[in-house]
Amino acid sequence: MTVRYRMALRTHSMRTRLLVFISATLVAVCAAMALTTVFVQRTYLLGNLDDRVTDAVERSLGGASLHPDLERDLTFLRESGHPTGMLAARLDDSGGIVSAEVVGQDTEPKPLKTAQREAMADIRTDGSKHTRTVPGLGTYRITAVDSSGVRVLIGLPMDDVQDMISGMVVVEAAVAAAGLTIAGCVSAVVIRRQLRPLGRVAATAVEVSRAPLDRGEVTGLTRVPPADTDPGSEAGQVGAALNRMIDHVESSLSERQRSEERMRRFLADASHELRTPLASIAGYAELMNRGTDRIEPVLAWRRVSAESARMTGLVEDLLLLARLDEGRPLQSAEVDVAALVAETVWDARAAGGGHDWQLELRLDTTPLVLGDEARLHQVVANLLANARVHTPVGTRVVATVETGAAECVVRIHDDGPGIPPDLLPTVFERFTRADASRARSGATGGGSGLGLAIVAAITAAHGGSIDVRSEPGHTEFTVTLPTLRSEAPAPRVDAVAEPTRAFVR
């Protein structure tokens, strides 16, 4: 039965469960208080009645001792002062009732009947108090004593005690019922008011759950009102936590939307980049199939090879980005950044002789980093190539290597036209190009838009960071890499000064 009640209670709302629990607690407390009060009052009244019974016994012994030889003598009952309804009996040596009478109201005492005597037959003369129901008379508090051969039994009615206790029970029941009703109503109002914020939080959660979160852009989700996010209450804590969760969900969904958009743009750009060389290869192949009089075979094969190389480079860049996205480990070895940057600047000078290439070293210790030398070379080469492709001839490009307490910094600075402000936030995203705003050499052409994305991915894979600042006449990419703790002395500046001077035009 208890299990069924618990299961039925669980199906109701928290408001109902709280109200039932509080009501049950109040009922239990009121019942305990009422029972305690009745028990204490009954004990007090019985003690008072027992004292009166004792006084009556002492008075009766005084009257019976005047005729100790007359066991049937009950003349003392006719004396004044005995309460109405008191019964008295003389006992023989065996404790049997010889004579018994009851005091009437304004009348002579009346003898007890046989059935009434039998109700008191087994009471011993030891002075102990007994509660007996005497037929036709009611409930009595009775005692029997033996004093110097005089044995009497005295009983006083308990009607007053029972009436008082019954009246007290009725009064307490009425007061308890009224108090429980008032307390239940107040509790219901208080619980309803206190749970209103929780209800609004639940309504907000339900509204958010109905929002289409599986598609499209998700913004403007409903929040819990600030009034229901007070950290001083449990409902407010739940509301604040729900708002934080909604913020996380909204930001995650927005990031998912941005990722999907980037992925769609990435696929579209990749398809476009691959389609261009494929179209060229297919066109030259079609011309070759129609006959050699339409195009020279050597020129056709050169163009096919060039487009194939372009497509191969694009695919290799995409594969590299995919491997970096998957978090595949790179090769790990000590790399001297100063030597790596110097070699890369030499290669850039050979590829772009029309620019002013310079190298600056600001070293306190040997700039050693732990990483993949080939990929770090690719980082510096891509940054230098970006400066060469997107700046006009004569632009000065300075590669600077600095060392600090726990990091190595490589800066690539040029005094070209700069990156447009609207393009700057997305410059490290894939397939981002600045062809419309930065000058491009007709001989070199533009890239695929993956160079800076590869630079950012490789730098992040080495635990570093990359930053860019640009304005007209000043563009600077800063690559920061964690260094190895090394006690090796800094390289001599004149050891690198010879090739550095060779870079200056």
Side-chain angles (χ1 to χ4, degrees), residues 1 4 22 110 123 144 185 199 208 243 256 283 321-322 330 356 366 373 399 402 407 411 430 461 465 491:
M1 189 67 179
R4 292 181 180 178
I22 293 175
K110 298 179 180 180
I123 296 179
C185 295
V208 172
N243 278 351
R256 183 200 68 184
L321 288 173
L330 300 174
D356 182 11
T366 302
E373 183 174 3
E402 301 175 2
E407 61 184 15
R411 306 182 192 275
R430 299 168 189 183
S465 62

Side-chain angles (χ1 to χ4, degrees), residues 103-134:
V103 178
Q105 184 177 5
D106 299 331
T107 59
E108 292 294 326
K110 298 179 180 180
L112 297 182
K113 299 178 182 179
T114 303
Q116 295 173 337
R117 292 185 178 188
E118 291 178 353
M120 304 177 294
D122 57 346
I123 296 179
R124 298 180 181 180
T125 57
D126 54 2
S128 60
K129 308 298 187 297
H130 301 272
T131 300
R132 295 295 172 86
T133 299
V134 180

Side-chain angles (χ1 to χ4, degrees), residues 319-320 322-331 461:
L319 290 176
L320 174 60
R323 287 194 294 268
L324 293 175
D325 289 342
E326 292 177 359
R328 293 186 183 181
L330 300 174
Q331 295 182 3

Side-chain angles (χ1 to χ4, degrees), residues 396-415:
R396 184 176 62 179
V397 182
V398 181
T400 305
V401 181
E402 301 175 2
T403 56
E407 61 184 15
C408 174
V409 180
V410 178
R411 306 182 192 275
I412 307 298
H413 165 265
D414 69 71
D415 55 2

Side-chain angles (χ1 to χ4, degrees), residues 60 62-79 88-91 98-101 150-152:
S60 299
S65 61
L66 297 176
H67 305 281
D69 298 333
L70 299 176
E71 293 181 349
R72 295 181 178 273
D73 181 57
L74 292 175
T75 57
F76 61 86
L77 288 179
R78 292 167 175 78
E79 299 176 355
R90 295 289 297 270
L91 306 178
V98 177
S99 61
E101 295 180 355
V150 178
R151 292 172 290 278
V152 296

